[in-house]
């Protein structure tokens, strides 16, 4: 059976025709796998686990593509999460723009790799062009650079590694790259809000600094870093002979979408000689907004910025970028290997992107950004982002008018956190009941109380959808 399917692509017309049919059949299977607007089939977790375990692992004889696709179509696809559903709103987890699904086919088919020019000639050049465009879009000058990464977590880690090496090198003359952590490493401190992403702690652990190096800054009533307390904490730490080396501003916190004041954080970082990173994993989408770009603040004052394309920009996972204002700090990732990125290549005009990246073999994710930007243009993206932000504003305005709800933080981007006034159990039950009906929403907590959360990214969501869900939640109150 498996002999029918070509092992790899070639110029043979029969092989090309078989490949074309495989892709066409796959597309048909995808389109045929759902016929309503729900996000999930509702299949019970134990039943699903059992039915999938029964599919087997590695058969002795291959079953061929047609039978395999048939199994995937019948048994797996119907129970995948349908991210494009307007009933799916819990996480910063986006539906993919259709043109970028086509990009994924191109990326997977050619399988170019971003580590060296000879493994991805046009891919390397397009990634460079996208990075150059992005540094400008975020207001950085010609000394800036960056790289694509697997996500916000990895982008944040790259930034904090660069910050650590910059601080140890420039302030203390210690070369972490060669000699490892300096003797004072246990005193280094990073400052970020108490509602920032856990990737800061994870990064500090992996980098040998430990969770205790992360100082959690208190936030104000809008869930933004309290600037006064930030400065007081830095001053106290200096008095205690600790070494503040980095601050991370969050541009869109995961729960509330709140945005820290980068201008004020810059002032403090300059005063005490610290690196300032902006984690704009969520809020970076505002950069292409028509109406709300100002809410992001001027990120060009930061030393580095994390941009996640698989959130507000609606690109398929994974797609993220880390940008550095001063490209020389990125040299911490450079290491020459004779078989891959010879120093002489640079003199001959070749670019080996492994020089800038933590990863070696790496996907051509930049193509997705290229195709989405070309397809939609600035106006198309502005409309996508503005719709999400407007929907959140509308949602919030409905909630605060209604005595059945509390909504503690006015949304700046597209997340709405709220609760019915009937207590924790009522809120938990509402979320479960909605899930049984095919509507998936989020749950978090604020000041020890259970809260419900809507993360609105889907541009197909309308005021009518929002009115209906609010009405349904009210019906589900005890
Ligand atoms: C999602 C998120 C991250 C992590 O990004 P991944 O792409 O999931 O690795 C980091 N910071 C914030 C604020 C986020 O919302």
């Amino acid at each position: 059976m498996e002999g029918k399917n070509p092992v790899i692509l070639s110029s043979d017309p029969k092989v090309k025709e078989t490949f074309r049919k495989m892709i066409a059949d796959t597309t048909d299977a995808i389109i045929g796998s759902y016929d309503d607007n729900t996000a999930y089939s509702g299949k019970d977790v134990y039943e699903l686990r059992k039915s999938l375990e029964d599919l087997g692992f590695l058969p002795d004889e291959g079953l061929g593509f047609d039978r395999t696709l048939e199994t995937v179509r019948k048994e797996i696809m119907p129970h995948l999460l349908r991210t494009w559903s307007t009933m799916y709103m819990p996480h910063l987890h986006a539906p993919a723009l259709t043109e970028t699904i086509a990009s994924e086919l191109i990326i997977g088919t050619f399988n170019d790799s971003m580590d060296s020019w000879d493994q991805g000639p046009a891919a390397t050049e397009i990634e460079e062009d996208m990075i150059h465009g992005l540094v400008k879009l975020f207001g950085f000058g010609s000394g800036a650079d960056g790289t694509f990464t697997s996500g916000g977590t990895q982008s944040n880690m790259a930034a904090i590694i660069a910050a650590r090496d910059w601080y140890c090198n420039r302030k203390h003359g210690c070369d972490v790259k060669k000699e490892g952590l300096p003797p004072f490493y246990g005193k280094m401190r990073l400052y970020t809000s108490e509602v920032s992403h856990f990737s800061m702690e994870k990064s500090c652990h992996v980098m040998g600094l430990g969770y205790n190096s992360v100082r959690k800054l208190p936030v104000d009533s809008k869930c933004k870093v309290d600037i006064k307390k930030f400065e007081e904490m830095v001053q106290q730490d200096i008095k205690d002979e600790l070494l503040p080396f980095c601050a991370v501003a969050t541009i869109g916190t995961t729960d509330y979408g709140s945005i820290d004041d980068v201008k004020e954080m810059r002032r403090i970082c300059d005063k005490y000689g610290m690196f300032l990173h902006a984690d704009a994993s969520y809020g970076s989408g505002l950069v292409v907004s028509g109406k709300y770009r100002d809410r992001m603040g001027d990120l060009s004052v930061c030393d580095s910025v994390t941009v996640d394309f698989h959130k507000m920009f609606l690109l398929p996972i994974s797609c993220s970028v880390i940008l550095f204002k001063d490209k020389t700090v990125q040299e911490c990732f450079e290491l020459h290997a004779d078989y891959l990125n010879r120093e002489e290549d640079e003199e001959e005009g070749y670019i080996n992107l492994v020089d800038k990246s933590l990863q070696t073999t790496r996907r051509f994710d930049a193509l997705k950004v290229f195709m989405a930007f070309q397809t939609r243009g600035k106006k198309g993206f502005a409309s996508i982002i503005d719709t999400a932000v407007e929907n959140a504003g509308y949602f919030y305005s409905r909630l605060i008018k209604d005595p059945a709800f509390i909504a503690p933080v006015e949304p700046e981007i597209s997340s709405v956190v709220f609760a019915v006034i009937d207590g924790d159990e009522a809120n938990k039950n509402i979320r479960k009941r909605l899930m049984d009906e095919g509507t998936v929403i989020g749950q978090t907590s604020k000041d020890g109380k259970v809260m419900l959360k809507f993360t609105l990214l889907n541009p197909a969501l309308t005021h009518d959808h929002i009115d209906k869900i609010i009405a349904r939640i009210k019906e589900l109150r005890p």
Side-chain angles (χ1 to χ4, degrees):
M1 277 295 279
E2 48 82 33
K4 252 179 50 179
N5 301 111
V7 178
I8 49 171
L9 274 181
S10 75
S11 56
D12 179 341
K14 270 193 282 180
V15 168
K16 285 186 175 176
E17 176 51 26
T18 313
F19 177 69
R20 195 199 60 73
K21 189 167 174 305
M22 287 166 81
I23 301 303
D25 289 350
T26 304
T27 312
D28 287 344
I30 293 169
I31 293 167
S33 72
Y34 66 100
D35 52 19
D36 66 15
N37 187 40
T38 56
Y40 179 57
S41 64
K43 189 158 177 156
D44 169 78
V45 51
Y46 294 105
E47 274 177 40
L48 180 65
R49 189 167 300 151
K50 180 83 185 73
S51 70
L52 297 183
E53 271 168 9
D54 289 347
L55 296 181
F57 173 56
L58 176 63
D60 278 345
E61 298 283 342
L63 307 173
F65 181 74
D66 291 349
R67 270 183 69 189
T68 303
L69 179 64
E70 188 57 14
T71 304
V72 174
R73 186 185 70 78
K74 280 215 319 255
E75 307 293 338
I76 302 178
M77 267 190 212
H79 313 295
L80 292 176
L81 184 82
R82 294 179 283 277
T83 43
W84 56 84
S85 164
T86 50
M87 297 160 84
Y88 180 65
M89 296 168 270
H91 305 290
L92 279 164
H93 182 193
L97 296 170
T98 48
E99 69 274 15
T100 60
I101 302 171
S103 322
E104 286 286 358
L105 178 60
I106 302 171
I107 295 166
T109 303
F110 287 88
N111 208 26
D112 282 19
S113 179
M114 307 312 300
D115 31 350
S116 60
W117 202 90
D118 60 3
Q119 299 181 75
T124 298
E125 299 298 330
I126 290 288
E127 173 164 324
E128 283 283 279
D129 293 343
M130 292 297 103
I131 290 289
H132 292 150
L134 286 167
V135 295
K136 273 200 209 118
L137 188 61
F138 282 87
F140 286 155
S142 58
D145 200 2
T147 190
F148 277 74
T149 76
S150 64
T153 302
Q154 205 201 17
S155 294
N156 286 342
M157 187 183 300
I160 300 172
I161 291 171
R164 177 196 64 189
D165 287 17
W166 167 85
Y167 176 83
C168 292
N169 214 320
R170 313 258 168 121
K171 306 271 161 175
H172 298 270
C174 298
D175 186 351
V176 179
K177 192 163 155 179
K178 274 212 192 97
E179 286 153 17
L181 292 172
F184 54 79
Y185 76 91
K187 296 183 169 197
M188 291 173 67
R189 292 293 178 270
L190 176 144
Y191 301 78
T192 189
S193 106
E194 60 188 348
V195 288
S196 69
H197 193 260
F198 57 75
S199 47
M200 286 6 122
E201 279 104 319
K202 272 198 184 178
S203 300
C204 285
H205 161 218
V206 174
M207 288 159 55
L209 302 178
Y211 285 0
N212 290 348
S213 67
V214 179
R215 289 295 216 183
K216 291 301 188 98
L217 302 170
V219 293
D220 62 19
S221 62
K222 292 177 169 170
C223 286
K224 296 162 180 279
V225 161
D226 183 323
I227 299 294
K228 198 163 157 271
K229 299 217 173 95
F230 171 28
E231 183 159 16
E232 283 166 8
M233 217 152 155
V234 171
Q235 286 169 338
Q236 185 60 47
D237 282 350
I238 291 171
K239 265 198 207 128
D240 294 340
E241 298 189 339
L242 297 170
L243 303 169
F245 77 101
C246 179
V248 179
T250 310
I251 310 305
T253 54
T254 310
D255 267 350
Y256 301 96
S258 50
I259 296 171
D260 292 334
D261 185 340
V262 284
K263 215 171 130 200
E264 280 298 296
M265 289 180 77
R266 175 80 268 169
R267 184 178 61 74
I268 293 170
C269 286
D270 282 345
K271 195 163 159 189
Y272 302 97
M274 296 156 72
F275 190 98
L276 178 60
H277 172 61
D279 176 9
S281 296
Y282 180 7
S284 45
L286 292 175
V287 78
V288 288
S289 161
K291 298 178 191 154
Y292 306 107
R293 182 177 168 150
D294 290 350
R295 290 189 183 179
M296 196 177 77
D298 176 9
L299 301 194
S300 73
V301 303
C302 302
D303 296 301
S304 54
V305 178
T306 290
V307 181
D308 240 359
F309 285 102
H310 53 223
K311 290 182 171 170
M312 287 196 96
F313 288 94
L314 313 185
L315 265 53
I317 300 162
S318 50
C319 198
S320 178
V321 155
I322 175 69
L323 303 175
F324 291 103
K325 185 186 340 218
D326 170 3
K327 66 172 134 201
T328 62
V329 301
Q330 213 180 210
E331 283 165 12
C332 61
F333 301 116
E334 192 172 325
L335 190 149
H336 286 281
D338 289 339
Y339 70 92
L340 192 60
N341 54 336
R342 295 152 296 262
E343 278 176 88
E344 74 228 32
D345 284 3
E346 281 167 38
E347 286 147 34
E348 290 163 17
Y350 296 106
I351 301 162
N352 296 316
L353 290 178
V354 69
D355 290 350
K356 303 189 204 175
S357 175
L358 268 169
Q359 286 166 271
T360 308
T361 305
R362 189 159 58 79
R363 288 163 51 85
F364 179 26
D365 287 322
L367 183 69
K368 295 186 281 198
V369 180
F370 176 81
M371 286 180 69
F373 278 14
Q374 293 287 316
T375 301
R376 311 260 151 204
K378 207 163 175 203
K379 285 192 184 142
F381 265 101
S383 143
I384 288 169
I385 304 292
D386 290 350
T387 301
V389 179
E390 246 154 39
N391 276 334
Y394 176 74
F395 204 137
Y396 178 77
S397 74
R398 289 284 323 266
L399 293 172
I400 53 167
K401 274 191 221 122
D402 194 323
F405 298 106
I406 44 168
V409 182
E410 185 173 355
E412 283 185 277
I413 310 182
S414 64
S415 309
V416 187
V417 176
F418 69 100
V420 296
I421 55 171
D422 314 280
D424 288 357
E425 285 312 306
N427 282 292
K428 284 190 205 166
N429 279 331
I430 286 171
R431 192 180 73 89
K432 284 191 200 126
R433 290 285 299 276
L434 286 174
M435 189 124 88
D436 293 339
E437 296 171 9
T439 299
V440 191
I441 71 168
Q443 180 182 316
T444 183
S445 69
K446 176 149 175 64
D447 305 328
K449 292 213 170 62
V450 172
M451 304 297 281
L452 301 173
K453 179 171 115 173
F454 281 73
T455 309
L456 311 177
L457 294 176
N458 192 329
L461 205 73
T462 62
H463 288 191
D464 189 43
H465 288 119
I466 294 169
D467 291 344
K468 286 201 176 111
I469 184 95
I470 291 177
R472 185 68 191 132
I473 290 173
K474 288 182 76 168
E475 282 168 18
L476 291 173
R477 285 177 65 201

